[in-house]
Amino acid sequence: MSDSVATTTPTEQAKAALTFDQFGLSADILRAVSESGYTTPTPIQAEAIPVVLAGRDVMGAAQTGTGKTASFSLPIIQRLLPMANTSASPARHPVRALMLTPTRELADQVAANVQTYSKHTPLRSTVVFGGVDMNPQSEALRRGVEILIATPGRLLDHVQQKTLNLGQVQMLVLDEADRMLDMGFLPDLQRILNLLPKERQTLLFSATFSPEIKKLAATYLRNPQTIEVARSNSTNANVRQIVYEVHESDKSGAVAQIIRERELKQVIVFCNSKIGASRLARVLERDGIVATAIHGDRTQGERMQALDAFKRGEIEALVATDVAARGLDIAELPAVINFDLPFNAEDYVHRIGRTGRAGASGDALSLCSANERKQLADIEKLIKRPLEVQTLHVTAPARRDGARRDERPARGERTEHRHSAREDAGSRRRTSPGSSSYDRPRGRQQPIDEFFLKPYEPSPSAMKRQEETPEPERKSTSKQPLAALLGGLGMPRKTS
DNA sequence: AAAAAAC
């Protein structure tokens, strides 16, 4: 009984379920849960598990760190168990549950959870996302999996390559749905949804129920049960939020100083730009703090390596863009630092959700320069309370590119680092990591396959029309505004 | 404004 948890749909099950035993989950699932060290369901789990088991659609609002993944994974595994079989034939393992996430890291993490919870069952699962070789994924799909976790783009790629058939999907999870819409995934989602059987169970999780999310739900969910667990972090007393007023040019030094003064062993530092993240990571490293950047311009291998090393405790500061703001399950961070205040106040809440998890206390420390006042005001408005503002006197500015050599190193011994090429400020020829010159190709210029935009079964008239029309219209739907796309779904368009 | 995501 916690007063920080408000439920819009309090059920008897939610009140009564104090252990996982009471949901009627199979012994094989319960064994995996208890081996993972969990004994008591979180509020979202207590609410969602019975609803999902009953086969209902769900519209869920829950933050990371609330146990959201298990709240849908456990009952989905349970519902698939009667169909599980031990046959080696791929045909006996069609994809029956599909889970979509906005980022690759999140997909990987959800997949790890599903793998854990299903390990004592015959069910198979795998994950597909971009940035890595398709072939191992195709091979895993060919062998057959009941549960597939994916990011939308690579999923469609597999469908197009005919390495994946979604015709037998019975359960669909849209995780971080608001994020997916923010990222422009609506066209991809529409294509995917058109490939799924109409008869299915759909679970949509979102941090907010914006009008766009509500429209999406109205289109693709059937009589969903709404489950809402209050956003824990904005009101969470165990996260202390402090804003430090600093000059923009002092920010790097401020981060180093905060890490030292507070003796932070592990911290995530959020930046607003990829270049800024790479730059800060370099400055911190030069200052004797083991740091690595994680952002979308790094290769998938580098991203995974950075995250793994951080989880293993080998890295003190993970300098991240908002690729790491949501969903990532990094246990019990004592603090997060906002190097920049996010442009989107919603992202602030997600960022600081990386600390003070599961009852542990944490600090959310934000740097605010003179030109970030508006962001600060927006955040205070969103979380409905003023933040504690302190002035930070930066005593030992971190060295930057071009810093004079007479500045003293902040720490006696400097960690070994791989930028040995940078002996002095004179060598400027090399491209900095994080600049886009050697990054993987970006953009989605390929014309959208008409197949995906049509309803599931092609009509003979459509094939005839194709013969008559020499040049199909090539319009990049991903460039259309959200309202237009929602309008294309038969949704009311906002009048201007 | 910036970030994320398929070859």
Side-chain angles (χ1 to χ4, degrees):
Chain A
M1 46 174 296
S2 159
D3 57 10
S4 69
V5 175
T7 56
T8 55
T9 57
T11 61
E12 286 310 307
Q13 297 99 307
K15 303 286 180 204
L18 298 171
T19 72
F20 281 101
D21 304 346
Q22 307 183 23
F23 297 121
L25 297 170
S26 98
D28 290 335
I29 298 175
L30 289 175
R31 186 150 61 99
V33 170
S34 82
E35 282 170 5
S36 306
Y38 299 114
T39 52
T40 310
T42 64
I44 180 97
Q45 290 162 0
E47 285 234 32
I49 291 174
V51 178
V52 179
L53 284 175
R56 281 199 65 176
D57 282 8
V58 166
M59 175 97 166
Q63 295 274 299
T64 315
T66 56
K68 182 179 54 173
T69 306
S71 80
F72 60 78
S73 298
L74 296 176
I76 283 177
I77 292 166
Q78 175 68 36
R79 274 169 66 71
L80 292 180
L81 272 183
M83 288 165 276
N85 72 68
T86 50
S87 161
S89 162
R92 310 302 291 272
H93 299 271
V95 175
R96 299 189 192 274
L98 175 63
M99 304 175 179
L100 297 177
T101 71
T103 66
R104 299 163 181 175
E105 279 77 9
L106 195 49
D108 205 31
Q109 178 185 297
V110 171
N113 275 274
V114 168
Q115 190 64 244
T116 298
Y117 299 139
S118 64
K119 67 181 169 189
H120 301 306
T121 77
L123 293 168
R124 305 179 187 174
S125 62
T126 195
V127 59
V128 301
F129 50 73
V132 294
D133 190 356
M134 267 188 100
N135 289 328
Q137 298 177 354
S138 302
E139 184 53 29
L141 293 173
R142 198 196 56 74
R143 286 193 298 267
V145 293
E146 282 86 0
I147 306 172
L148 177 62
I149 301 92
T151 48
R154 179 55 68 91
L155 182 87
L156 286 169
D157 208 353
H158 278 290
V159 172
Q160 214 159 11
Q161 307 281 325
K162 304 259 195 280
T163 46
L164 172 63
N165 185 316
L166 297 176
Q168 299 206 57
V169 170
Q170 298 164 344
M171 279 174 276
L172 171 69
V173 177
L174 302 174
D175 198 10
E176 306 272 4
D178 53 339
R179 180 77 164 178
M180 287 200 269
L181 292 191
D182 287 348
M183 289 166 58
F185 274 140
L186 183 60
D188 285 349
L189 290 184
Q190 288 174 260
R191 277 173 235 141
I192 292 166
L193 281 150
N194 278 338
L195 297 166
L196 303 182
K198 298 283 167 282
E199 196 66 35
R200 61 158 196 272
Q201 184 179 10
T202 307
L203 317 176
L204 183 155
F205 290 89
S206 177
T208 58
F209 290 160
S210 65
E212 287 79 12
I213 287 291
K214 285 179 178 162
K215 286 176 194 167
L216 189 73
T219 311
Y220 293 114
L221 272 61
R222 262 196 298 199
N223 185 27
Q225 167 99 33
T226 300
I227 294 174
E228 200 159 352
V229 175
R231 166 191 313 286
S232 55
N233 292 302
S234 58
T235 55
N236 208 345
N238 60 9
V239 176
R240 183 163 182 215
Q241 302 175 53
I242 301 173
V243 174
Y244 293 113
E245 285 191 319
V246 292
H247 288 291
E248 190 66 41
S249 57
D250 282 342
K251 279 186 167 184
S252 304
V255 170
Q257 183 172 324
I258 288 170
I259 290 173
R260 296 234 168 73
E261 284 180 356
R262 291 175 170 261
E263 298 180 345
L264 298 173
K265 300 275 177 286
Q266 288 247 280
V267 64
I268 297 187
V269 187
F270 285 105
C271 299
N272 283 359
S273 74
K274 293 178 279 197
I275 288 173
S278 284
R279 188 181 298 146
L280 178 61
R282 281 203 308 278
V283 172
L284 292 178
E285 280 260 297
R286 204 174 300 149
D287 219 11
I289 293 168
V290 186
T292 297
I294 180 168
H295 57 66
D297 273 355
R298 304 205 71 193
T299 67
Q300 196 54 36
E302 289 170 328
R303 282 164 59 166
M304 292 185 194
Q305 214 173 356
L307 198 56
D308 286 347
F310 187 70
K311 285 182 176 178
R312 284 196 302 268
E314 294 164 8
I315 287 171
E316 296 173 86
L318 186 68
V319 187
T321 59
D322 282 322
V323 67
R326 297 192 190 205
L328 294 192
D329 190 31
I330 296 164
E332 314 261 327
L333 276 185
V336 297
I337 298 174
N338 285 309
F339 180 83
D340 301 306
L341 286 179
F343 293 116
N344 185 344
E346 197 68 48
D347 286 331
Y348 173 83
V349 178
H350 288 289
R351 289 179 179 186
I352 73 169
R354 317 285 88 222
T355 189
R357 306 272 291 278
S361 68
D363 295 315
L365 312 168
S366 302
L367 306 184
C368 179
S369 67
N371 53 12
E372 290 176 298
R373 293 284 158 74
K374 183 180 185 307
Q375 282 114 293
L376 180 58
D378 288 347
I379 289 164
E380 291 178 325
K381 191 175 160 195
L382 178 74
I383 66 174
K384 295 188 176 70
R385 67 184 180 88
L387 289 174
E388 178 183 344
V389 179
Q390 297 181 7
T391 305
L392 186 71
H393 179 55
V394 183
T395 53
R399 298 175 56 192
R400 312 180 67 101
D401 275 314
R404 290 191 312 275
R405 307 196 71 181
D406 53 22
E407 284 183 61
R408 61 174 176 82
R411 253 183 199 174
E413 87 287 293
R414 296 174 45 173
T415 53
E416 84 297 337
H417 40 129
R418 43 201 178 281
H419 329 295
S420 50
R422 188 202 171 279
E423 302 87 356
D424 59 58
S427 58
R428 296 176 193 275
R429 50 197 161 60
R430 74 206 159 78
T431 43
S432 60
S435 72
S436 57
S437 52
Y438 64 78
D439 292 325
R440 59 199 164 74
R442 327 228 1 116
R444 44 171 78 220
Q445 298 309 317
Q446 186 179 347
I448 286 152
D449 190 333
E450 287 237 312
F451 173 72
F452 293 122
L453 294 170
K454 282 184 201 140
Y456 190 38
E457 57 259 283
S459 66
S461 63
M463 295 179 67
K464 192 157 187 286
R465 183 154 33 84
Q466 201 180 5
E467 290 167 20
E468 292 162 356
T469 313
E471 195 65 45
E473 191 184 2
R474 305 227 156 140
K475 189 148 74 175
S476 169
T477 46
S478 62
K479 290 285 182 275
Q480 290 181 37
L482 186 61
L485 288 158
L486 289 166
L489 289 173
M491 297 175 173
R493 195 182 300 213
K494 205 197 285 183
T495 51
S496 48

